[in-house]
Amino acid sequence: MVALARLARRGARPSDLALALFDEGLPVPEEAVRKAFGRAARIPGAGFAEGGPDAGTDEDEWAERVADEVVASGHRATLIPERARRLDRGIARHLSSKGVVWPPPELDELDRNPEPSGLSGGEASAVAVSMVLRGGAAVTPQGVGDVLRTVQPEGWGNPVAALAEYTVEDVPAAEPVFPADGGMTTIADGDARDTLARLAETMPLDDLRAAWAAAQAARDWTLDLCARAEAELEAGELGSAVLEWLLGRTLASGLMVLNALRDRAWSPSDRALSALLLLLMRQAFRDLDEKVPGCQWELLESPGMAPAPLVPFLRP
């Protein structure tokens, strides 16, 4: 009762209040916790309604139509948050002032794709809607590469995007994950919101709590990294934070950094959604480990691959 009186405020959602009590380790009824996570799974503000295609309707065409309607209504994905843009530009200006050729030409040399392509804001929004509506069925190696190229700093070559784009050619054993008829088997087909809601309903509470803690730890890590990199830029002495920032922007952790910077308000529901997405990622990794034996999961610990607080949580 004391905690309720302290945390409750005018206009607060009951689900957010349940999550705040859950965060403090108080004995919230399990049903209330799962309902709060399930509400977060609906991805509020996504810009499209619930419900799938009518019987007999082609799912690809239906998803494309819904995506077009969302884009036409004015919704646009924030590709690179302004704070990240300022850091990218500040680092580039500083290095150029020191006579360093930037971006590094070695990245172009390592990028095997002779015709790299990215996405416009509208195209990225349409892709995001399609991935929410169709889940793993909408994920392809080329699509992953397109997303990586879309959010990279301007003018960079992207060897990691090329690795994604050539996955099937380079790794024949990846066929169980990326089948010839398209899609990605380690993420369930169908509405991703339903998949996340099922995680909220079925995951052990200890797993929900671990993901809840990991989501906050990753956000804290991101904001600390930004603050340290900004301080180095302001002092005119680039050091470990800027190096860590650049490695992330080149590799995989940069995507998580950008996602964290997009959630400026970071409500309890935002944190719960982030926790569910982390659980989905961990589940996909475990499924991948079964489908393709011998994955080098120790690479998760390499700089730039994942925010450090997430490595113990994600590693199969």
Side-chain angles (χ1 to χ4, degrees), residues 111-113 115-119 127 131 135-150 158-187 255 288:
D111 189 343
R112 298 162 52 199
N113 193 330
E115 298 180 357
S117 61
L119 304 169
V127 168
M131 290 178 67
V139 181
T140 64
Q142 183 60 54
V144 173
D146 288 344
V147 170
L148 290 170
R149 294 186 187 281
T150 298
N158 198 320
V160 176
L163 284 174
E165 292 156 352
Y166 289 97
T167 295
V168 176
E169 292 88 338
D170 292 344
V171 189
E175 201 269 341
V177 178
F178 290 110
D181 57 353
M184 183 177 184
T185 62
T186 56
I187 299 175
L255 290 176
L288 174 62

Side-chain angles (χ1 to χ4, degrees), residues 37-38 41-43 131-137 186-203 273 276-277 279-281 283-284:
F37 274 91
R42 304 326 298 175
I43 311 181
M131 290 178 67
V132 170
L133 294 175
R134 300 184 59 227
T186 56
I187 299 175
D189 291 350
D191 197 317
R193 296 170 294 181
D194 295 336
T195 301
L196 294 174
R198 285 194 293 272
L199 290 177
E201 293 170 1
T202 60
M203 274 288 166
L273 175 58
L276 290 173
L277 290 169
L279 284 168
L280 181 64
M281 186 184 302
Q283 185 171 285

Side-chain angles (χ1 to χ4, degrees), residues 263-285:
D263 290 328
R264 297 180 62 183
W266 194 240
S267 67
S269 290
D270 292 331
R271 183 176 172 185
L273 175 58
S274 180
L276 290 173
L277 290 169
L278 289 176
L279 284 168
L280 181 64
M281 186 184 302
R282 186 177 72 174
Q283 185 171 285
F285 282 2

